[in-house]
Amino acid sequence: MSTVPWPDHLFTLEEWDALPEDKSRHFELVEGVLLVAPRPAPKHQVAMANLRSCLKEQLPAGVVAVQDVDVVIDPGPPLSLRAPDVVVVPAERYWEHPSRFNPDDLHLAVEIVSPGTGRTDRVFKPIEYAKVGIPHYWVVELDEPATLIAFSLVAGRYKQIAQGTGKVQVPEPFPVTVDMTTLINP
């Protein structure tokens, strides 16, 4: 078992990049402070993969849905990086194989609420994402009945544009229909 020396200061991008890949934990960085949580449960992981697949089938040419990637929210100092569950980015940017994305790369960021992330996904991340100009934000609630709430950035704040259970039609940033009843089917 190896240990990572914990810094006695705010993390830098170089220290972030030097972290070992740890499949058992989920990392984010907020104002230089490392946030560590357990990896999402299988239900969450299946929903994330199914949502990405659903988007892939419906997105227009020129954009790509990617899951579990880093997004630089504030290059700092102090540095803030978030890891949305799914993002939609221009295909051209995807093919550059960046190690992380910038907010202006994103058309959409999606967070799937897990036990312990509700306040962050419903309150803090929408504020952070709106502040950096991510044009669309979705929150997916997996508790029965599974629900999708879609927001569009209007005058610096998110305005709800769709919400529902079952088959949810979202008009922006691209017209898509998400079947919430099958989102957690393996």
Side-chain angles (χ1 to χ4, degrees):
M1 178 177 175
S2 66
T3 61
V4 176
W6 231 238
D8 59 355
H9 57 278
L10 300 177
F11 262 72
T12 65
L13 187 58
E14 293 76 22
E15 289 168 322
W16 174 263
D17 287 339
L19 284 174
E21 188 167 327
D22 185 343
K23 297 291 186 193
S24 67
R25 292 184 177 82
H26 175 78
F27 297 105
E28 290 186 320
L29 199 60
V30 178
E31 295 184 353
V33 177
L34 183 65
L35 302 180
V36 182
R39 273 278 168 211
K43 178 179 168 181
H44 183 115
Q45 292 180 33
V46 167
M48 187 168 41
N50 286 346
L51 180 60
R52 184 198 163 276
S53 179
C54 171
L55 290 171
K56 180 182 176 187
E57 293 172 5
Q58 299 179 65
L59 289 174
V63 293
V64 177
V66 185
Q67 65 189 57
D68 198 23
V69 295
D70 293 335
V71 176
V72 178
I73 299 301
D74 186 346
L79 174 68
S80 288
L81 288 118
R82 290 294 194 174
D85 291 305
V86 177
V87 298
V88 174
V89 297
E92 180 178 296
R93 179 71 173 121
Y94 167 80
W95 285 112
E96 293 172 6
H97 303 291
S99 57
R100 64 190 62 85
F101 291 103
N102 295 312
D104 58 352
D105 294 325
L106 275 62
H107 294 289
L108 168 67
V110 181
E111 295 291 353
I112 299 171
V113 177
S114 288
T117 69
R119 182 176 298 135
T120 299
D121 294 341
R122 294 182 200 108
V123 178
F124 299 119
K125 286 184 179 181
I127 292 168
E128 292 174 12
Y129 293 174
K131 184 177 178 181
V132 296
I134 296 172
H136 297 275
Y137 179 61
W138 295 359
V139 175
V140 173
E141 303 274 355
L142 294 179
D143 291 337
E144 291 297 327
T147 305
L148 184 147
I149 308 165
F151 301 92
S152 182
L153 192 60
V154 178
R157 298 183 73 150
Y158 284 120
K159 175 185 171 198
Q160 185 176 314
I161 58 169
Q163 177 176 346
T165 60
K167 290 188 178 182
V168 182
Q169 294 182 339
V170 183
E172 301 172 12
F174 315 98
V176 296
T177 300
V178 180
D179 187 350
M180 300 302 292
T181 64
T182 62
L183 204 59
I184 61 169
N185 289 351

